[in-house]
């Protein structure tokens, strides 16, 4: 597995000096000998290999070290980027050349320190303090050499001075022209964290990912990231209540913004001239009441938003060039999607409540011009029951449905949905976790029912994916498609091991009468 990863890394890197297969193999074997004490191709015999190496004066290891040291620096650094700093620390002691490569590597990954928070305290504190001191010395040794990627996952709740030490590392990273920063910290309860100011003015910084596990993130009131293009914030409490305005005013180069599990913030109002991708994921009920996102360049927007009550909640989107929109969770009772003239795909996996039903007409009308649509069974049934279907989706070419069971309650809603898609070319129906109190009655609609509906999409359908849940309704749908879809090129049928043999035989007989390629795929 390691061999494949190393080879793929070279292909992806496309260095100017292509290493030979022998050089790649020597570097990989050298790393394994240094780290594990054995050959990756003969790891079942490590002791025998080491005994042989010692009997030969360690010539094997020396030869492989020489081959590794002959690699160009950027290739050797790329190999080292796949190792944790614990492994790198072991690798440093093998020879002077390896130590030099480790110290000069622009890819630094300090992971595993956060795990120490969840072990016996005294032993952990001692080991953690040693690791922190080792990192201090490492940064001193490497000086101000370039840092491309810096990843730090650590625990900062053992003592009060640990936070200041982590801030010092970030200052050093800014001085070393860091480009990508990934920071995950376990802090004391309600502890506050603030980036050093030099990091905001670091012109090389392009991407920042920060996760504080419940800590409080403090942001400056009049200073932002100069050239930052990607920002991801998760599991934090934002101290700056005007977070959206801060993004709009002080992050002028930001193209991608990801927010996950943001706490203690009531409103997010973002208007950005550079933002292309926006994502909000609050999978558990949050205090957020108002979300407003706007931008002429915004093309992708993903929203997963859950709350205890829809009262007073609003979603507003001003993105005339939006191309893909995904909305999960609970719909608000006040939503404005704006003009989505360029929208191509939408995913609506919503759980509507009674006080939000009247707004579903506006939601489904806003996405009526798209080409790809993803729905689940709950949303489909609610749209049907509220009279939102059939809606004309004249451009619809692909429909994806996640269903827990194609029961008798869902079939009429699904028919009404597809009736408004006369040009449908691809349909996919796959499983999702079944909700509580699911009606498993699924035997009232056979192929004859589908034939009686005179659905015009059948003349254009080319691809189909259907999962068999054990009822007869999906069997009737599959038989109908195989018999009447003359343009059908391929159908994939997913089934479980408990599916009766006679059902599979019936489908195989239908497949033999169709010109389409039919693939039966068993789900584990």
């Amino acid at each position: 597995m390691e061999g494949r990863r190393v080879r793929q890394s070279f292909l992806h890197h496309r260095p100017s000096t292509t290493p030979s297969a022998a050089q790649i193999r020597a570097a990989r074997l050298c790393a394994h000998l240094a780290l594990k004490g054995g050959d990756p191709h003969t790891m079942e015999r490590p002791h025998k290999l080491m005994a042989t190496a010692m009997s030969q004066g360690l010539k094997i290891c020396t030869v492989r070290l020489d081959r590794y040291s002959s690699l160009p620096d950027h290739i050797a650094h790329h190999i080292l980027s796949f190792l944790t700093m614990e492994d790198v620390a072991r690798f440093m002691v093998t020879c002077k050349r390896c130590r030099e490569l480790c110290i000069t590597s622009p890819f630094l990954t300090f992971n595993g320190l956060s795990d120490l928070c969840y072990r016996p305290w005294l032993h952990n504190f001692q080991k953690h303090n040693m690791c922190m001191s080792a990192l201090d010395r490492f940064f001193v040794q490497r000086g101000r050499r370039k840092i491309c990627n810096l990843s730090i996952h650590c625990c900062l709740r053992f003592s009060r001075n640990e936070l200041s030490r982590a801030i010092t590392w970030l200052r050093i990273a800014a001085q070393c022209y860091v480009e990508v920063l990934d920071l995950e910290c376990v802090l004391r309860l309600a502890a506050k964290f603030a980036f050093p100011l030099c990091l905001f003015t670091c012109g090389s910084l392009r991407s920042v990912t920060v996760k504080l596990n419940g800590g409080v993130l403090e942001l400056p009131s009049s200073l932002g990231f100069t050239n930052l293009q990607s920002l991801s914030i998760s599991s934090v409490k934002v101290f700056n209540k005007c977070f959206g305005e801060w993004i709009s005013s002080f992050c002028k180069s930001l193209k991608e913004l990801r927010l996950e599990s943001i706490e203690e913030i009531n409103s997010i109002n973002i208007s950005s001239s550079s933002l292309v991708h926006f994502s909000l994921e609050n999978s558990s009920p949050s205090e957020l009441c108002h979300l407003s996102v706007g931008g002429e360049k915004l093309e992708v927007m993903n929203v997963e938003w859950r709350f205890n009550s829809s009262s007073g909640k609003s979603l507003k989107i001003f993105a005339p060039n939006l191309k893909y929109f995904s909305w999960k969770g609970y719909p608000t009772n006040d939503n404005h999607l704006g003009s989505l003239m360029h929208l191509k795909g939408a995913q609506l996996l919503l759980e509507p409540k009674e006080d939000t039903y009247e707004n579903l007409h506006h939601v489904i009308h806003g996405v009526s011009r798209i080409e790809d649509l993803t729905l689940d069974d709950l949303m489909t049934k609610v749209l049907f029951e509220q009279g939102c279907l059939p809606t004309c989706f004249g451009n619809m070419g692909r429909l994806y449905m996640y269903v827990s069971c194609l029961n008798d309650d869902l079939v009429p809603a699904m028919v009404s949905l597809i009736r408004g898609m006369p040009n449908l070319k691809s349909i996919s129906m796959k499983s999702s976790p079944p909700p509580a109190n699911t009606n498993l009655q699924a035997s009232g609609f056979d192929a004859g029912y589908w034939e009686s509906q005179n659905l015009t999409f059948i003349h254009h359908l080319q691809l189909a994916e259907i999962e068999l849940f054990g009822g007869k309704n999906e069997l009737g749908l599959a038989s109908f498609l195989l018999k009447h879809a003359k343009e059908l090129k391929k159908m994939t049928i997913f089934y479980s091991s408990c599916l009766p043999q006679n059902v599979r035989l019936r489908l195989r007989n239908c497949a033999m009468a169709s010109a389409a390629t039919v693939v039966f795929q068993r789900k584990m």
Side-chain angles (χ1 to χ4, degrees), residues 278-431:
F278 174 81
S279 177
L280 171 71
E281 183 179 343
N282 277 353
S283 55
S284 56
S286 66
E287 301 174 9
L288 182 64
C289 293
H290 306 286
L291 175 63
S292 176
V293 182
E296 293 183 357
K297 294 183 179 180
L298 189 62
E299 295 182 357
V300 180
M301 184 170 180
N302 300 313
V303 176
E304 183 173 357
W305 186 9
R306 299 179 187 275
F307 34 75
N308 293 321
S309 172
S310 58
S311 177
K313 305 297 189 299
S314 66
L315 172 65
K316 297 181 180 180
I317 302 175
F318 304 95
N321 295 307
L322 193 66
K323 295 180 180 179
Y324 181 84
F325 177 51
S326 174
W327 192 1
K328 301 179 183 178
Y330 306 143
T332 62
N333 55 11
D334 181 15
N335 55 75
H336 300 276
L337 302 185
S339 177
L340 304 177
M341 296 297 296
H342 298 281
L343 193 67
K344 294 183 178 181
Q347 184 179 53
L348 301 177
L349 305 181
L350 300 175
E351 304 170 34
K353 299 180 180 181
E354 291 186 3
D355 58 346
T356 62
Y357 283 165
E358 61 182 17
N359 291 309
L360 293 180
H361 291 272
H362 301 290
V363 174
I364 203 68
H365 177 72
V367 300
S368 61
R369 291 182 291 270
I370 61 176
E371 299 173 4
D372 299 343
L373 177 63
T374 302
L375 292 175
D376 59 6
D377 46 6
L378 177 61
M379 184 65 176
T380 304
K381 286 191 286 188
V382 171
L383 289 174
F384 177 66
E385 293 168 357
Q386 298 304 311
C388 300
L389 300 177
T391 296
C392 182
F393 296 93
N395 298 327
M396 185 67 63
R398 288 174 287 273
L399 173 65
Y400 303 87
M401 292 196 65
Y402 293 105
V403 302
S404 55
C405 176
L406 190 58
N407 55 38
D408 292 351
D409 293 336
L410 178 59
V411 172
M414 186 174 176
V415 169
S416 182
L417 174 67
I418 297 177
R419 192 181 301 280
M421 304 176 179
N423 299 310
L424 193 64
K425 296 181 180 180
S426 175
I427 185 171
S428 178
M429 186 180 69
K430 295 184 178 180
S431 61

Side-chain angles (χ1 to χ4, degrees), residues 391-514:
T391 296
C392 182
F393 296 93
N395 298 327
M396 185 67 63
R398 288 174 287 273
L399 173 65
Y400 303 87
M401 292 196 65
Y402 293 105
V403 302
S404 55
C405 176
L406 190 58
N407 55 38
D408 292 351
D409 293 336
L410 178 59
V411 172
M414 186 174 176
V415 169
S416 182
L417 174 67
I418 297 177
R419 192 181 301 280
M421 304 176 179
N423 299 310
L424 193 64
K425 296 181 180 180
S426 175
I427 185 171
S428 178
M429 186 180 69
K430 295 184 178 180
S431 61
S432 64
N437 303 321
T438 299
N439 178 15
L440 297 178
Q441 182 64 32
S443 60
F445 300 92
D446 56 11
Y449 168 81
W450 290 93
E451 293 172 1
S452 66
Q453 299 304 306
N454 297 319
L455 300 172
T456 55
F457 85 97
I458 196 67
H459 304 296
H460 304 281
L461 192 67
Q462 297 178 5
L463 299 174
E465 292 181 338
I466 296 180
E467 183 169 344
L468 305 181
F469 306 103
K472 296 182 180 179
N473 287 340
E474 60 267 21
L475 179 62
L477 173 59
S479 301
F480 165 69
L481 296 181
L482 288 172
K483 182 178 181 181
H484 295 279
K486 303 302 181 182
E487 299 295 325
L488 188 64
K489 297 178 180 178
K490 181 180 179 180
M491 174 182 284
T492 304
I493 299 175
F494 300 91
Y495 68 96
S496 62
S497 57
C498 60
L499 190 69
Q501 182 67 22
N502 63 326
V503 174
R504 279 179 277 177
L505 288 175
R506 180 179 172 183
L507 282 175
R508 291 185 186 277
N509 292 334
C510 294
M512 292 177 63
S514 173

Side-chain angles (χ1 to χ4, degrees), residues 78-135:
H78 195 66
I79 295 174
L80 289 175
S81 68
F82 292 101
L83 302 180
T84 64
M85 288 310 298
E86 184 177 1
D87 289 337
V88 169
R90 296 172 182 169
F91 191 55
M92 287 177 64
V93 301
T94 55
C95 70
K96 182 178 179 180
R97 168 62 173 162
C98 291
R99 180 179 181 276
E100 179 185 352
L101 286 172
C102 293
I103 291 178
T104 59
S105 175
F107 307 99
L108 305 180
T109 303
F110 304 99
N111 292 347
L113 292 179
S114 57
D115 297 338
L116 297 175
C117 290
Y118 309 105
R119 300 176 185 171
W121 189 87
L122 181 59
H123 171 73
N124 253 5
F125 172 73
Q126 296 172 346
K127 184 175 181 180
H128 185 265
N129 191 48
M130 292 174 60
C131 292
M132 298 282 283
S133 299
L135 293 187

Side-chain angles (χ1 to χ4, degrees), residues 227-257:
N227 295 321
L228 194 68
Q229 296 182 5
S230 176
L231 176 62
S232 177
I233 301 177
S234 61
S235 302
V236 302
K237 299 176 182 178
V238 180
F239 185 75
N240 190 338
K241 301 302 180 183
C242 300
F243 173 74
E245 289 76 3
W246 179 81
I247 291 288
S248 304
S249 302
F250 301 110
C251 298
K252 296 294 187 179
S253 300
L254 196 64
K255 295 182 179 180
E256 183 176 5
L257 176 61

Side-chain angles (χ1 to χ4, degrees), residues 193-212:
F193 179 88
F195 288 113
L197 295 181
C198 61
L199 204 62
F200 291 97
T201 57
C202 180
S204 61
L205 191 60
R206 295 292 183 270
S207 174
V208 171
T209 300
V210 56
K211 181 178 182 181
L212 299 182

